[in-house]
Amino acid sequence: MKKKEIREIFLKKRAVTNLADNERIAARLREVLSGSSISLVHSFVGCRTRSEVDTKGIRQLLRIQLPSIQWAAPRMIPGTSKLQNYLWNDETVLISNRWGIEEPGAGTSQPVEIQAIDAVLVPLLAFDQKGHRVGYGGGFYDRFLAQCRPDTLKIGLSAFEAIEEIEDADEWDVKLNYCVTPTNIYHWNS
């Protein structure tokens, strides 16, 4: 299937799916994160209106289980296709941007340099057996991931299992290292 068709299918699937598997996703994500020297994880803030994985709840669970890990969240830079990163802790105030996506409010958290990030939880609609993903089509995360260190782990979170292939994956699409679902951990040597 091609990206456009995949987006349509998975947006519809998500609309009728109850994403109550966050605890199982968190348990598998803990397996991925605890076996490494990760100290800073960048995470998208899951959007309920898009039926995304609840990264706020996952961060809360893992914050207790893996207290040495710090978290960062993105804020979109208006008028650009770039993300800024800010520490995401219990004092961080999240506000909705014009697309309804929560992000750290101005002045409520410290900025984080991209090169300090050890792992990125990447938003996606679907992913394939090769580690390619389909996002929302804006390219924010492909541009962001291209700026990360080569050893930064790229981890997708999905309520659904892998599809066979994304036929029109581009050469500039950044592949995942892992994708965590309620029942599996997929791993690629990207």
Side-chain angles (χ1 to χ4, degrees):
M1 283 189 287
K2 297 197 183 272
K3 291 178 185 178
K4 183 179 179 185
E5 181 183 5
I6 293 168
R7 277 190 192 99
E8 291 172 8
I9 290 169
F10 279 86
L11 282 170
K12 287 177 186 172
K13 262 180 115 166
R14 257 209 209 154
V16 297
T17 301
N18 179 5
L19 294 181
D21 288 326
N22 288 306
E23 286 185 23
R24 292 183 353 178
I25 291 172
R28 283 175 177 67
L29 180 59
R30 185 183 67 235
E31 287 179 46
V32 172
L33 297 177
S34 61
S36 58
S37 59
I38 304 245
S39 61
L40 181 61
V41 174
H42 164 105
S43 176
F44 68 99
V45 180
C47 184
R48 286 186 185 160
T49 59
R50 292 183 175 186
S51 297
E52 289 182 321
V53 172
D54 177 16
T55 55
K56 288 193 275 188
I58 288 171
R59 184 190 70 85
Q60 288 287 56
L61 286 169
L62 294 181
R63 184 181 61 82
I64 294 164
Q65 297 167 354
L66 300 171
S68 63
I69 293 179
Q70 289 189 303
W71 293 77
R75 184 166 65 208
M76 294 177 192
I77 302 171
T80 74
S81 56
K82 295 182 180 179
L83 301 174
Q84 289 177 316
N85 302 284
Y86 293 87
L87 282 180
W88 180 15
N89 54 39
D90 292 339
E91 287 77 44
T92 304
V93 176
L94 298 174
I95 57 169
S96 291
N97 66 19
R98 66 181 178 176
W99 297 284
I101 299 168
E102 288 185 297
E103 53 187 23
T108 68
S109 192
Q110 289 179 275
V112 172
E113 293 295 322
I114 290 175
Q115 297 302 307
I117 296 169
D118 300 309
V120 178
L121 302 185
V122 186
L124 54 82
L125 288 166
F127 68 102
D128 72 10
Q129 297 284 348
K130 297 177 183 176
H132 293 107
R133 71 178 186 90
V134 174
Y136 294 98
F140 281 89
Y141 269 85
D142 284 316
R143 284 185 284 282
F144 169 65
L145 293 171
Q147 296 173 17
C148 291
R149 297 187 327 253
D151 66 332
T152 299
L153 292 180
K154 292 153 283 295
I155 307 168
L157 302 179
S158 179
F160 308 107
E161 300 304 317
I163 62 173
E164 188 172 327
E165 182 181 12
I166 299 167
E167 295 172 7
D168 57 344
D170 294 306
E171 61 186 59
W172 60 82
D173 290 344
V174 178
K175 290 175 63 177
L176 300 170
N177 299 108
Y178 293 91
C179 194
V180 178
T181 73
T183 55
N184 286 302
I185 298 172
Y186 295 82
H187 179 244
W188 302 275
N189 295 324
S190 302

